[in-house]
Amino acid sequence: SQYLPIVPMAHPTHTPLTQSRRKYAGLAACFVALLSLACAPALAAAEDTAPRDLTVNLGTSGTFAILAKTGVSTVPQSAITGDVGVSPIAQGALTGFGFILDASGEFATSDQVTGNVYAADFAVPTPSKMSIAIGDMETAYTDAAGRVDPDFVNLHSGLLGGKTLAPGLYKYGIGVGFSADCTLHGTETDTWIIQIAGTLSMAANAKIILSGGARAENIVWVVAGASFFGANSHFEGNILGATSAVFITGSSINGRVLVQTAVTLQSTTVVKPV
């Protein structure tokens, strides 16, 4: 016959290939599981070493460039950007400003202050405003000084001239000094708290330098002793002081000076961060 016989075709079997795929799929699953177990500690460690959020709530005290309980004095000409306030001491403790009392009696102005000047004995509602601000300053100090689990303890024995500080919580049971420039390196969201049980001292011409996007408003120096800033020195960050802060001629700070005794300025530039 000219026609070829029709031969039924056998159905193809995939059994060997299916078994092979199952075998390799199982091995792949085991590999992924082992890889996950191996990477877990590293991932956990990475999370543990991520910078902590050490933000300190300044409350209404954060609206001031300078806030003190017993007085603020200036040897002209200082330049302050932000409000200046004293409480519970009265306006007589604001010296060297040549301020002019506003007609409302609630605040004063000065050619050395881009902002307002407040005292506890100005007209209502200023006394309440100042009392609240001082309370917020004290609360912020207690909070910052009480933070636990420091990342660094007595680093460089408190001699920080020429050093670079990463974000974190620093605890010093001693004084801290800057004989030369010191750099704080971090991003714009990184935070620092530097707890100082002794004094803080900046040598003449020494500077705090911010790099990598670090911002002054994210830095808190909580100082149990007095703070001293030498001639032409420059500082960055918020000072929460249990006692006084003294700024010698030509010194400057990009930050806030919030202290529980007095602030002394000598031709000093103070700029409150936005």
Side-chain angles (χ1 to χ4, degrees):
S1 168
Q2 59 178 335
Y3 300 104
L4 293 174
I6 297 174
V7 179
M9 294 183 64
H11 292 290
T13 176
H14 299 288
T15 302
L17 183 57
T18 301
Q19 289 176 344
S20 177
R21 285 177 176 170
R22 287 177 180 170
K23 175 181 177 181
Y24 286 116
L27 289 173
C30 289
F31 177 76
V32 170
L34 289 171
L35 186 62
S36 297
L37 289 172
C39 292
L43 291 172
E47 291 178 356
D48 289 342
T49 56
R52 290 184 282 172
D53 183 2
L54 297 170
T55 302
V56 176
N57 183 4
L58 299 177
T60 61
S61 70
T63 65
F64 289 86
I66 300 175
L67 182 63
K69 294 175 71 173
T70 64
V72 180
S73 65
T74 175
V75 176
Q77 187 77 359
S78 291
I80 303 162
T81 302
D83 292 345
V84 176
V86 293
S87 181
I89 200 75
Q91 60 185 289
L94 292 162
T95 61
F97 287 97
F99 64 75
I100 300 172
L101 189 63
D102 183 72
S104 68
E106 298 174 12
F107 63 90
T109 58
S110 166
D111 64 357
Q112 296 178 70
V113 180
T114 303
N116 295 328
V117 180
Y118 296 91
D121 60 338
F122 284 177
V124 173
T126 299
S128 176
K129 169 188 175 77
M130 296 311 302
S131 179
I132 292 170
I134 292 294
D136 287 347
M137 174 181 72
E138 293 172 334
T139 297
Y141 179 93
T142 300
D143 173 24
R147 299 290 180 98
V148 297
D149 299 323
D151 302 297
F152 309 95
V153 177
N154 292 332
L155 183 67
H156 305 307
S157 299
L159 304 175
L160 301 183
K163 303 299 190 295
T164 297
L165 304 183
L169 175 60
Y170 293 74
K171 184 177 182 65
Y172 289 95
I174 52 180
V176 166
F178 302 87
S179 59
D181 296 354
C182 174
T183 300
L184 272 64
H185 181 79
T187 70
E188 64 179 9
T189 58
D190 284 334
T191 49
W192 287 256
I193 294 178
I194 300 93
Q195 301 169 332
I196 303 172
T199 60
L200 184 157
S201 180
M202 291 282 292
N205 302 307
K207 296 175 178 60
I208 299 294
I209 299 169
L210 304 185
S211 67
R215 299 168 65 111
E217 57 264 42
N218 294 333
I219 304 165
V220 173
W221 306 82
V222 52
V223 188
S227 298
F228 178 85
F229 304 88
N232 301 309
S233 63
H234 177 74
F235 201 74
E236 296 273 349
N238 301 306
I239 301 167
L240 286 170
T243 59
S244 62
V246 176
F247 293 82
I248 301 302
T249 304
S251 56
S252 61
I253 174 173
N254 178 32
R256 299 173 177 87
V257 186
L258 311 174
V259 302
Q260 297 182 39
T261 60
V263 176
T264 302
L265 310 174
Q266 294 179 10
S267 301
T268 301
T269 300
V270 180
V271 178
K272 181 179 76 69
V274 177

